[in-house]
């Protein structure tokens, strides 16, 4: 059995220390969440898995970490100032605001009134003042996507790392959107993280690369425990396409609240590099971009076959939200099981590389120094060999300890009991989260055995 509702997951996340409403002691800040001790680990593990597959496992992708504060010309020329908006409608009776495209009828979803204002466009970018002078022009945007920091660094990366087309630049980091109606827990929030790759290719090869990246991403989701059978591919219609996109394939997931976008894989053409380039007239761009008077660079590459005609590369962009990944991975892993003894348990069947705690070690009794000391020794030993958290439990109620660790997804629990200290060869009991099987092994074999169980 899986989750009954989104509310069940929200309360689980709070109780076990995954996600909290931000500033909850002051009544909360709408659309903003904080991650607790286990949430920060899961989030980090998701980002590490993405970075590993994008950067460490390949020769053709470099990483960057660009600033969140974004100069206004960047977002003017990228088209965000003019077009990064959603349609908004107000209810004249209860004064609540809604995204017009999310309304199911011409009635207010909150109070049922039919008096709604005309729909108007609302820009989603957040601004902040910069510098000591309070002046209308002294502001920067909080970036609405990580992508622009990649495009504006295109030439820097080209000059310093000398990659050859096709190549990519990857980035993970915060993005901010002043969503009209943040909702469904961490699904639609105002501050979130994105994992974005901009993959630069020769024009004409873009359709093939687009297909390649959709497949690549489906495989990645599968490796994180989100099978293809839970995902739906949706080709955006011309009406839905963002201003920069020639084609976008959305990867949708059956979230607890409904089927919605988990990741978008877009063909951004030469729109972005073209719009950040000066003197665009001689660039032979496929996309329509406005004259750029602010930029001092031409973001172009020289073909490798010594063809003198330089070109602006096309870009394929897989873009996934970390919070939506978190939600999908947790929803897939959350399992309720009836046990043979008539009891039941909740077990988070996370892939071991995503588990917030890899191993929990507990002494059978907390008031027996020999057991507690051996538990501490085992923890220290494992911390040397395992990457990720190894937790020392206080000891005492073993059944309760197993239940807690099943619920937070710890793949292996180790118990130190009297046999551990009495026999000539020190041995401990290992318990597997999914099968609940217990085996006794010598302490000396722990690092190899656990490494195998976690791989
Ligand atoms: P939506 O249609 O759901 O508003 P979008 O198409 O605007 O999303 P993109 O601009 O393609 O989203 O952003 C790429 C990814 O960033 C999305 O697939 C999603 O995972 C994540 N994302 C976008 N907006 C939010 C948000 N407000 N909260 C959490 N994640 C988001």
């Amino acid at each position: 059995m899986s989750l009954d509702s989104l509310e069940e997951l929200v309360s689980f996340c709070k109780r076990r220390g995954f996600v909290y409403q931000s500033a909850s002691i002051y009544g909360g800040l709408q659309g903003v969440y904080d991650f607790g001790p286990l949430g920060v680990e899961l989030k980090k593990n998701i980002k590490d898995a993405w970075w590993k597959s994008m950067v460490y496992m390949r020769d053709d992708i470099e990483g960057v970490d660009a600033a969140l504060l974004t100069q206004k010309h960047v977002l003017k020329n990228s088209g965000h100032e003019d077009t990064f908006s959603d349609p908004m409608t107000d209810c004249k009776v209860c004064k609540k605001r809604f995204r017009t495209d999310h309304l199911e009828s011409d009635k207010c979803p909150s109070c049922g009134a039919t008096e709604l204002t005309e729909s108007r466009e609302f820009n989603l970018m957040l601004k902040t003042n910069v510098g000591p002078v309070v002046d209308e022009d002294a502001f920067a945007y909080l970036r609405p996507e990580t992508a622009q920091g990649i495009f504006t660094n295109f030439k820097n990366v080209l000059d310093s790392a000398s990659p050859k087309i096709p190549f990519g630049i990857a980035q993970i980091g915060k993005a901010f959107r002043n969503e009209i109606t943040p909702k469904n827990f961490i699904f639609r929030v105002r501050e979130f993280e994105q994992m974005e790759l901009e993959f630069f290719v020769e024009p004409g090869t873009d359709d093939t690369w687009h297909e390649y990246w959709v497949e690549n991403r489906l495989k990645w989701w599968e490796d994180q425990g989100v099978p293809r059978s839970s995902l739906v591919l949706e080709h955006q219609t011309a009406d839905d396409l963002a201003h920069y996109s020639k084609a976008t394939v959305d990867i949708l997931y059956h979230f607890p609240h409904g089927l919605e976008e988990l990741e978008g894989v877009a063909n951004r053409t030469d729109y972005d590099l073209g719009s950040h380039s000066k003197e665009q007239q001689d660039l032979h761009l496929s996309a329509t971009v406005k004259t750029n008077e602010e930029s001092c660079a031409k973001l172009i590459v020289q073909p490798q076959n010594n063809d003198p005609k330089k070109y602006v590369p096309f870009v394929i962009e897989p873009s996934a939200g970390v919070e939506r990944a978190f939600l999908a991975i947790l929803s897939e892993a959350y399992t309720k099981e009836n046990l043979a003894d008539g009891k039941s348990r909740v077990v988070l069947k996370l892939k071991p590389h995503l588990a917030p705690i890899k191993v929990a070690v507990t002494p059978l009794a907390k008031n027996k120094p020999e057991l507690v000391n051996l538990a501490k020794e085992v923890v220290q030993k494992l911390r040397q060999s395992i990457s990720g958290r190894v937790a020392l439990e206080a000891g005492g109620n073993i059944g309760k300890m197993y239940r807690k660790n099943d619920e937070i997804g710890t793949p292996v629990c180790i118990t130190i009991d009297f046999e551990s200290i009495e026999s000539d060869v020190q041995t401990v009991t290992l318990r597997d989260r999914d099968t609940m099987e217990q085996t006794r092994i010598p302490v000396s074999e722990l690092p190899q055995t656990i490494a195998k169980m976690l791989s």
Side-chain angles (χ1 to χ4, degrees), residues 15-34:
R15 187 164 47 84
R16 285 299 184 195
F18 282 88
V19 185
Y20 315 121
Q21 172 73 55
S22 188
S24 56
I25 60 167
Y26 288 103
L29 178 59
Q30 209 198 350
V32 184
Y33 286 87
D34 297 335

Side-chain angles (χ1 to χ4, degrees), residues 174-388:
K174 291 265 182 181
F176 301 83
R177 296 184 187 178
N178 199 5
E179 295 282 353
I180 298 167
T181 42
K183 59 180 172 186
N184 296 322
F185 191 34
I186 54 172
F187 175 82
R188 185 173 302 286
V189 283
R190 292 189 168 129
E191 174 177 340
F192 56 101
E193 283 190 84
Q194 288 185 314
M195 306 182 282
E196 292 197 308
L197 167 72
E198 306 303 326
F199 198 77
F200 302 98
V201 304
E202 203 175 315
T205 64
D206 48 310
D207 292 338
T208 309
W209 278 110
H210 196 189
E211 281 169 29
Y212 166 89
W213 279 110
V214 172
E215 265 312 300
N216 178 294
R217 297 303 301 145
L218 290 174
K219 171 81 180 60
W220 186 82
W221 285 111
E222 198 152 37
D223 293 344
Q224 312 318 311
V226 184
R228 282 182 192 220
S229 53
S230 300
L231 299 170
V232 174
L233 291 186
E234 190 175 77
H235 292 255
Q236 284 190 8
T237 61
D239 282 350
D240 292 335
L241 287 177
H243 59 277
Y244 49 71
S245 176
K246 166 180 156 185
T248 296
V249 177
D250 284 339
I251 301 176
L252 312 181
Y253 174 71
H254 287 279
F255 286 97
H257 66 275
L259 181 66
E260 292 223 49
E261 177 178 333
L262 173 62
E263 169 162 15
V265 187
N267 181 343
R268 292 182 78 132
T269 70
D270 50 6
Y271 181 89
D272 296 276
L273 292 183
S275 34
H276 291 307
S277 291
K278 69 167 179 177
E279 296 163 26
Q280 292 147 346
Q281 304 80 290
D282 58 353
L283 292 181
H284 312 289
L285 294 169
S286 81
T288 317
V289 296
K290 291 188 184 146
T291 314
N292 189 334
E293 285 157 13
E294 291 88 14
S295 170
C296 60
K298 266 191 193 175
L299 305 178
I300 49 181
V301 294
Q302 173 90 52
Q304 281 153 55
N305 56 9
N306 289 331
D307 181 344
K309 210 170 120 229
K310 295 182 178 175
Y311 64 89
V312 178
F314 268 43
V315 181
I316 308 300
E317 175 198 71
S319 170
V322 177
E323 282 71 6
R324 290 189 191 179
F326 191 102
L327 202 51
I329 288 167
L330 266 190
S331 308
E332 277 302 316
Y334 191 95
T335 313
K336 287 182 270 190
E337 282 181 354
N338 292 323
L339 304 177
D341 59 5
K343 292 187 179 150
S344 61
R345 68 166 183 163
V346 169
V347 52
L348 208 53
K349 294 195 169 175
L350 290 170
K351 297 268 181 181
H353 70 279
L354 297 175
I357 293 175
K358 309 298 177 198
V359 185
V361 182
T362 192
L364 188 63
K366 54 182 161 194
N367 52 0
K368 294 279 175 234
E370 314 91 286
L371 299 184
V372 174
N373 289 342
L374 181 56
K376 286 182 181 167
E377 263 176 51
V378 166
V379 164
Q380 282 315 326
K381 189 170 173 167
L382 291 176
R383 284 182 181 160
Q384 309 288 329
S385 64
I386 288 173
S387 118

Side-chain angles (χ1 to χ4, degrees), residues 62-64 153-164 167 169:
E62 301 289 338
V64 294
N153 277 303
F154 176 78
K155 195 161 181 333
N156 288 333
V157 175
L158 205 59
D159 292 348
S160 54
S162 312
K164 299 276 176 287
F167 75 92
I169 304 179

